[in-house]
Amino acid sequence: MGKYPIYHARGSHQEVGLTLGKKLGKKLEKNIEYYIKRLDEIKGINHSQLVKGAIKWLRTLPLGYQVELENMALGAGCSVHTVASWLYSDLCVEGGCTSFIHETNDGIWVGRNNDYLIPGIWGYITIIEAQAKIPTMLFGLEGGTFSGTGYNKEKIWLHYNWLPERPGKGLPPFVFHRQALENCSSITDLEKMLKEKPRDGGMNLFVVDGKRGEYAVFECSGQKFRKREPASRVIAGANHYHFPEIAPEGNEPSQESQEREKNLKELFLGEENLKIPDSYFKMLGNPGVEARGENEGTVYSCVVCPEKDLVFYSADPYPAASSGEWEKVIFNW
């Protein structure tokens, strides 16, 4: 086993949930209690709203995911409300992230820093083979069935950077993300899904199709989206909109986000002798790109070439890109 454990579950949504719940056991409830406690310490939580809203929110999810989470709780011996609170507590927390896609003679490479809260708990991978769905790999929390970062058996890499958006009606971005990986075999499939399924938040959505050698970045609000075209063989993004017609009314681009994106682009321009993947690790770990707060920053990082099934992951020690142990992920679908 590598440094970053892989949890693997297959079957119906009921079977997937039970498998993960049983594998986690009592750790699931302990992990959730720690997560919510730390989230409260760092950002503050409305506990009354958490108690009242978690199950109600769970019932808005696609039915298969509801069944999966219910059975995860059953398998681990904890309450469904505990599992629902885990996801619900996260909804109003803003994230960071800096990402790139680089078209090279050695394939199309994608990299990302996931900037978030609570360093030290993000070094896990979950592979889910839900019945009649595309097998999907998710990165982040232990036993996590949702994420903002993932890969599927059709060689589709997909991740999103948070974008500011007033809460609306639709799928949470992390739920949309998993649905997309489980149902999309091409960028065309993803565009169709963006048209058909509204989201309740904004996303800077990075996608690479390793089979076709195609890639795209979609700037998405809850209802709209627009494809960004690369000015060269590199496209970078952080947590601000480039298209005024997509951005929420009154949104002002974050100067800090603009700086991270600018710094990453300049690193590519200044790289004369690119060594893959080491040069990418170094770029993501640059102090002008990586976030390094005490409780909030680059909690995990990825560098991937979907065409070659090459996935490199780093999550610990913190900050992940500069100090974490980069590891090639060895996996089987």
Side-chain angles (χ1 to χ4, degrees):
M1 180 182 289
K3 178 179 173 66
Y4 305 112
I6 299 176
Y7 286 80
H8 204 143
R10 57 171 60 89
S12 65
H13 284 293
Q14 180 182 16
E15 291 168 328
V16 167
L18 276 172
T19 297
L20 291 173
K22 288 178 179 178
K23 285 182 178 180
L24 288 162
K26 296 300 181 184
K27 282 173 53 177
L28 178 62
E29 188 164 18
K30 289 180 180 178
N31 288 350
I32 293 171
E33 287 175 352
Y34 176 77
Y35 186 86
I36 292 175
K37 176 177 177 289
R38 293 292 292 123
L39 195 63
D40 190 24
E41 290 171 350
I42 298 167
K43 292 292 186 180
I45 291 176
N46 184 329
H47 287 277
S48 175
Q49 179 61 32
L50 189 63
V51 170
K52 293 178 182 177
I55 291 294
K56 183 178 179 181
W57 173 81
L58 179 70
R59 298 305 172 207
T60 68
L61 297 181
L63 182 59
Y65 296 154
Q66 292 186 43
V67 170
E68 190 173 279
L69 294 170
E70 288 166 356
N71 280 276
M72 177 185 278
L74 179 64
C78 68
S79 72
V80 177
H81 185 272
T82 296
V83 174
S85 298
W86 183 25
L87 299 171
Y88 186 64
S89 65
D90 226 20
L91 287 176
C92 296
V93 180
E94 299 176 357
C97 304
T98 312
S99 306
F100 69 81
I101 298 175
H102 187 204
E103 185 179 352
T104 78
N105 296 329
D106 194 36
I108 297 169
W109 288 79
V110 56
R112 76 100 105 250
N113 282 348
N114 188 81
D115 300 342
Y116 207 59
L117 309 172
I118 321 175
I121 64 171
W122 298 91
Y124 298 90
I125 299 164
T126 306
I127 296 178
I128 298 174
E129 298 187 47
Q131 192 171 11
K133 301 295 183 184
I134 301 169
T136 292
M137 179 188 303
L138 302 169
F139 297 82
L141 294 171
E142 187 172 20
T145 57
F146 298 100
S147 175
T149 309
Y151 187 49
N152 74 17
K153 194 175 181 180
E154 295 295 317
K155 293 183 179 289
I156 298 292
W157 174 268
L158 186 67
H159 77 256
Y160 69 86
N161 297 358
W162 172 85
L163 286 178
E165 168 75 23
R166 288 183 291 274
K169 292 183 178 181
L171 291 173
F174 59 82
V175 177
F176 176 94
H177 174 264
R178 178 170 162 192
Q179 274 204 332
L181 284 168
E182 290 186 318
N183 292 281
C184 296
S185 300
S186 67
I187 294 175
T188 300
D189 290 344
L190 179 63
E191 283 195 73
K192 183 179 180 183
M193 188 170 164
L194 284 167
K195 292 175 183 176
E196 294 176 350
K197 292 184 180 291
R199 288 76 54 194
D200 71 359
M203 299 183 293
N204 220 352
L205 196 59
F206 286 68
V207 56
V208 177
D209 181 340
K211 284 187 175 180
R212 296 171 180 80
E214 299 174 349
Y215 62 95
V217 176
F218 294 100
E219 197 163 286
C220 311
S221 64
Q223 301 284 338
K224 304 174 184 178
F225 70 93
R226 182 170 166 181
K227 185 177 178 180
R228 284 182 58 196
E229 299 294 343
S232 61
R233 285 155 62 97
V234 178
I235 186 166
N239 305 107
H240 59 277
Y241 293 89
H242 294 77
F243 303 117
E245 68 272 24
I246 301 296
E249 186 177 349
N251 176 261
E252 291 294 330
S254 160
Q255 184 175 352
E256 186 265 345
S257 173
Q258 290 177 313
E259 283 295 318
R260 278 187 281 115
E261 181 179 305
K262 175 176 172 286
N263 291 338
L264 184 56
K265 288 178 180 177
E266 288 177 351
L267 287 171
F268 272 101
L269 291 173
E271 188 66 52
E272 295 181 0
N273 299 304
L274 191 70
K275 295 180 181 179
I276 298 174
D278 295 325
S279 292
Y280 296 140
F281 302 161
K282 186 177 178 182
M283 290 177 188
L284 291 174
N286 182 279
V289 175
E290 184 179 57
R292 300 175 177 178
E294 182 178 353
N295 294 307
E296 184 174 359
T298 300
V299 294
Y300 70 80
S301 301
C302 303
V303 167
V304 180
C305 181
E307 177 188 345
K308 300 180 179 182
D309 269 338
L310 287 174
V311 178
F312 297 91
Y313 189 52
S314 180
D316 192 56
Y318 171 82
S322 62
S323 300
E325 295 181 24
W326 283 95
E327 183 173 278
K328 181 181 176 182
V329 179
I330 306 300
F331 61 93
N332 293 300
W333 296 111

